Amino acid sequence: MKRSRADIVREYGPFPEVDAVHGVTFDGRKVWFAAGDHLVSLDPESGRTDRTLTVPAHAGTAFDGRHLYQIAEARIQKIDPESGLVLATIPAPAGGRDSGLAWAEGSLWVGEYRARKIHQIDPDTGAVLRTLETKRFVTGVSWVDSELWHGTWEGDESGLSRIDPGTAEVLEQVDMPAGMVVSGLESNGADLFFCGGATSGKVRAVRRPR
C-alpha cells in the first residue's frame, strides 16, 4: 500500500454563518458544501461564496452533471441547483447513519461511517445494488478516473483512502496533518480533492497523488 502525507494546496474559510462543513461536491465550476441547514457554493478561484440554497444538508453531497444530491438525516434529496427546489427524495441506505455521497456510472455511492461500508444505490429508487466493506470509517466518497476514494476519520487520525472498487482493499493512504480532518470529499476531476473540514468551518484543497 502506498502511503503519503497530504499536500494542502489551499484553505477556504471559515465562512460567515457556517458552523461546520459536511459533504462536498464540485459541479465543474463551483464547489458546493453542506452546512447543516443550507448548501453553499464556493468559487475555488476567488475563494468567495456566492449562492446559498436553503435545504437540510447534514452529510454527503453529490452532483450528476445536472442535479445536486444531498443527504438529510435518513433521506437523499435531489435538488435543482438553479431554483433550489427539492425535486425528489429517496431513502438513504443506512437510515440516517449515512456519511459521504458521490455520483458515478449512473449510480449514487453512499458512505456508512461507523459500519465502514460504501453502498452503490439506484438514484431513482434508493435500492442498494451492492455494498463494499472497507477497513476504515467512511466519511466522504469520490470517484475520479475509475479510482474510488473515500475520506476516513477515526479518533485523532484522518485522511483519504483509495480502495479497489471490486474488493475494497486499501491501495493508497494519504494522511492529513494533525488537527485536520476530512468530513467530506470530492475530486475536481483532475489534480485536486476538495475536503470538508467539519467544525473548522473550512474547505481544503488537497493535491491528488500521482
Side-chain angles (χ1 to χ4, degrees):
M1 180 186 75
K2 294 173 60 177
R3 190 157 194 166
S4 61
R5 290 177 173 270
D7 179 3
I8 311 294
V9 176
R10 185 170 177 180
E11 285 192 333
Y12 304 94
F15 306 96
E17 300 182 13
V18 173
D19 295 327
V21 175
H22 307 292
V24 179
T25 193
F26 183 64
D27 69 6
R29 294 184 306 114
K30 303 290 179 65
V31 175
W32 289 84
F33 63 85
D37 57 2
H38 53 284
L39 268 168
V40 181
S41 71
L42 164 70
D43 183 332
E45 296 299 323
S46 69
R48 291 192 291 269
T49 57
D50 53 10
R51 293 191 62 205
T52 297
L53 304 181
T54 305
V55 293
H58 305 133
T61 313
F63 182 71
D64 69 356
R66 183 178 177 189
H67 300 105
L68 294 164
Y69 292 82
Q70 178 60 55
I71 295 175
E73 298 179 344
R75 66 188 187 279
I76 299 173
Q77 307 163 108
K78 180 179 181 179
I79 301 164
D80 179 348
E82 296 302 320
S83 67
L85 293 175
V86 176
L87 305 176
T89 62
I90 57 175
R97 300 181 302 278
D98 312 270
S99 51
L101 188 63
W103 175 272
E105 303 172 345
S107 297
L108 286 168
W109 298 74
V110 187
E112 185 175 351
Y113 178 58
R114 291 191 178 277
R116 299 179 170 91
K117 294 180 180 178
I118 297 173
H119 305 283
Q120 179 186 8
I121 69 169
D122 184 313
D124 295 322
T125 66
V128 176
L129 304 176
R130 69 172 171 137
T131 296
L132 294 169
E133 297 195 21
T134 78
K135 295 184 180 303
R136 292 177 166 84
F137 285 4
V138 177
T139 57
V141 181
S142 182
W143 278 91
V144 55
D145 295 338
S146 300
E147 295 179 356
L148 176 55
W149 289 80
H150 73 83
T152 70
W153 180 9
E154 191 162 356
D156 296 330
E157 296 184 357
S158 188
L160 297 80
S161 288
R162 178 168 65 89
I163 64 172
D164 185 305
T167 65
E169 176 189 359
V170 179
L171 304 175
E172 186 167 2
Q173 174 75 20
V174 178
D175 298 319
M176 293 293 282
M180 294 187 186
V181 300
V182 179
S183 58
L185 180 67
E186 183 61 291
S187 164
N188 70 345
D191 58 343
L192 294 176
F193 287 108
F194 296 110
C195 302
T199 55
S200 72
K202 295 183 179 181
V203 174
R204 296 183 175 94
V206 175
R207 194 177 307 282
R208 177 185 169 198
R210 296 290 190 176

